[in-house]
């Protein structure tokens, strides 16, 4: 967030302000019920009473002015038109960004910044000019004019979602709390593929926690379900690092697909001028990395100068759920993006986990350990395009646990299918097995916002002798398609027995 400094100056003559030009761009013609505030002007302060008297006897307050706590309040439209736009009976001036605003202390005190500045000044009678030095490049004359004008009105309209960021920056700088809240709510409603990354950066810069949470959740839900070239280009390394490390990332298919997403994203970060469709992206990325591999056969791409900045992101991949599938293992070995040392550690870890599970007759997690589930669970997902009955399994070793998912419009079932008899020491075919999981159903609107969601939360299940379990009951009347089914699985405890 940029810095702001100010100086209180004595009274002097100033040049005219170009208010009509600003009014034409952000004036009362844009007023609508979209932004409303309950106005509360300060009272009980001698300075406020002086500023009220300074409006002068020549101002005729409208008959419809209401009383709040036995104090006369000027109507919003009258205050905006007569006092803000025309500057009548002004008792203080704000000078910033090459413009001058003729304003009133009683209204400025709604801003925490101005209220503090005026309260701390020693002598108000001869100091009626505030010089603001604004160093934040997100704040311009229009946004400053809008925020100052908002102090005079009960309603205002922010019609352009991409400009709301500038208004939020200005409101944060001047500490106009109700306008900050209004901007956050408007921006949360306008989050989509085009705005989400810029809104996230704005929220992070100005401490808008609820907006940041909304943007991050949108990205978790849409990164893999609704990918676009433009979205991938805008996601920074730090932001992608947070997304990929989250257990709430909605993964389509399996963990190898998270790897593929990162490969495409890294290609676009290194080739921002590339123009093509999301359908062409993977082939182009593979071709580009293949050419680089031909030039440098001594190290993996992430060990090169270009690749090192991306190492932290790729380290968040859950490789133990990639190398459990032969086809996926071949992909990452042949790509040579990942350093061999990383993969060797994973191979070793998985081999020891398998040996431990066999020796201790591991049957799986006996209780819910959310830390393990958050950091180590297998993330997978499926899109159900229409109503009906469907069955699938997320392939992979999974320590030999053959878990099938059965979906209908009325229920979701997990079924253990054992086709052979258990063998001595076999982890795969034990008749008693536990799993920990969380299953979530999601439906999106056209902007990528979740409008239907249902989850089991984290649970454990015990399977005995090829049985099945009812996981979730569904109401066919509220289901919409395409419906996304996401799950986190943990098939074996990471703790030593």
């Amino acid at each position: 967030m940029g810095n702001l400094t100010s100086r209180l100056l004595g009274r002097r003559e100033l040049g005219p302000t170009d208010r009509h030009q600003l009014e034409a761009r952000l004036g009362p013609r844009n007023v609508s019920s979209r932004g409303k505030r309950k106005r509360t002007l300060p009272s009980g302060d001698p300075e406020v009473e002086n500023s009220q008297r300074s409006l002068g006897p020549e101002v005729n307050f409208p008959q419809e002015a209401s009383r709040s706590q036995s104090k006369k309040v000027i109507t919003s439209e009258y205050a905006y038109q007569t006092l803000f736009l025309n500057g009548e009976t002004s008792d203080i001036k704000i000078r910033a960004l090459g413009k001058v605003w003729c304003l009133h202390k009683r209204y400025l005190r709604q801003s925490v910044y101005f209220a503090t500045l005026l309260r701390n000044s020693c002598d108000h009678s001869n100091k009626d000019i505030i010089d603001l030095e604004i160093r934040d490049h997100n704040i311009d004359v229009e946004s400053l004019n809008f925020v100052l004008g908002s102090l005079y009105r009960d309603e205002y309209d922010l019609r352009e979602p991409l400009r709301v960021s500038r208004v939020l920056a200005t409101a944060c700088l001047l500490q106009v709390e109700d306008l900050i809240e209004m901007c956050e709510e408007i921006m949360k409603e306008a989050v989509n593929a085009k705005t989400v990354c810029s809104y996230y950066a704005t929220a992070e810069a100005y401490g808008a926690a609820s907006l940041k949470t909304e943007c991050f959740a949108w990205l978790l839900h849409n990164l893999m379900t609704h990918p676009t070239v433009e979205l991938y280009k805008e996601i920074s390394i730090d932001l992608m690092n947070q997304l990929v490390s989250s257990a709430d990332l909605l993964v389509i298919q399996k963990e190898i697909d998270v790897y593929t997403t990162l490969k495409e994203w890294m290609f676009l970060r290194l080739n921002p001028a590339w123009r093509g469709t999301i359908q062409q992206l993977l082939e182009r990325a593979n071709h580009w990395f293949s050419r680089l591999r031909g030039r440098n056969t001594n190290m993996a791409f992430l060990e090169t100068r270009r690749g090192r900045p991306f190492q932290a992101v790729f380290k968040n991949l859950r490789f133990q759920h990639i190398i459990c599938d032969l086809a996926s293992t071949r992909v990452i070995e042949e790509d040579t993006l990942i350093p061999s040392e990383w993969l060797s550690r994973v191979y070793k870890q998985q081999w020891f986990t398998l040996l431990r599970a066999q020796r201790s007759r591991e049957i799986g997690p006996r209780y819910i350990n959310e830390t393990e589930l958050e950091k180590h669970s297998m993330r997978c997902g499926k899109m159900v395009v229409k109503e009906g009955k469907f069955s699938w399994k997320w392939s992979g070793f999974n320590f030999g646990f053959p878990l099938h998912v059965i979906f209908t419009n009325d229920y979701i079932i997990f079924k253990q299918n054992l086709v052979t008899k258990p063998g001595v020491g076999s982890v795969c075919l034990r008749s008693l097995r536990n799993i920990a999981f969380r299953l979530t159903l999601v439906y999106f609107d056209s902007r990528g916002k979740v409008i239907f969601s249902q989850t089991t939360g984290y649970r454990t299940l015990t399977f005995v002798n090829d049985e099945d379990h009812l996981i979730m009951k569904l109401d066919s009347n509220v289901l919409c398609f395409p419906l996304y089914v996401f799950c986190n699985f943990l098939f074996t405890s990471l703790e030593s027995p």
Side-chain angles (χ1 to χ4, degrees), residues 217 220-222 225-226 248-250 252 382-384 407 412 439-445 448-455 472 474 478-487:
L220 287 174
H221 297 154
N222 289 271
T225 58
H226 299 91
D248 298 323
L249 177 65
L250 301 189
I252 287 294
K382 180 80 171 179
M383 182 176 69
V384 180
F407 174 93
I412 295 177
L439 184 137
T440 303
L441 297 185
V442 176
Y443 174 74
F444 302 96
D445 67 10
K449 282 186 172 291
V450 174
I451 59 175
F452 169 80
S453 179
Q454 187 174 342
T455 184
M472 183 182 287
L474 305 176
V478 300
L479 291 183
C480 297
F481 296 89
L483 187 68
Y484 293 85
V485 183
F486 298 99
C487 210

Side-chain angles (χ1 to χ4, degrees), residues 141-154:
V141 171
E142 288 188 53
S143 64
L144 183 57
N145 183 76
F146 186 92
V147 172
L148 293 174
S150 76
L151 301 175
Y152 287 75
R153 64 206 312 191
D154 291 330

Side-chain angles (χ1 to χ4, degrees), residues 4-12 14 91-97 99-105 108-109 111 113-119 121 124 126-134 144 148 174:
L4 179 149
T5 59
S6 60
R7 291 183 296 146
L8 282 170
L9 304 177
R11 183 182 302 276
R12 59 175 146 174
L14 297 168
D91 60 354
I92 194 165
K93 296 178 176 65
I94 304 296
R95 182 164 54 194
L97 302 175
K99 296 289 181 180
V100 177
W101 287 263
C102 299
L103 304 175
H104 307 81
K105 294 176 183 178
L108 288 184
R109 285 190 176 89
S111 156
Y113 173 81
F114 286 125
T116 303
L117 183 67
L118 293 172
R119 184 171 60 249
S121 61
H124 300 295
N126 294 318
K127 301 194 185 319
D128 65 341
I129 303 172
I130 299 178
D131 263 331
L132 300 181
E133 296 180 22
I134 298 175
L144 183 57
L148 293 174
L174 299 183

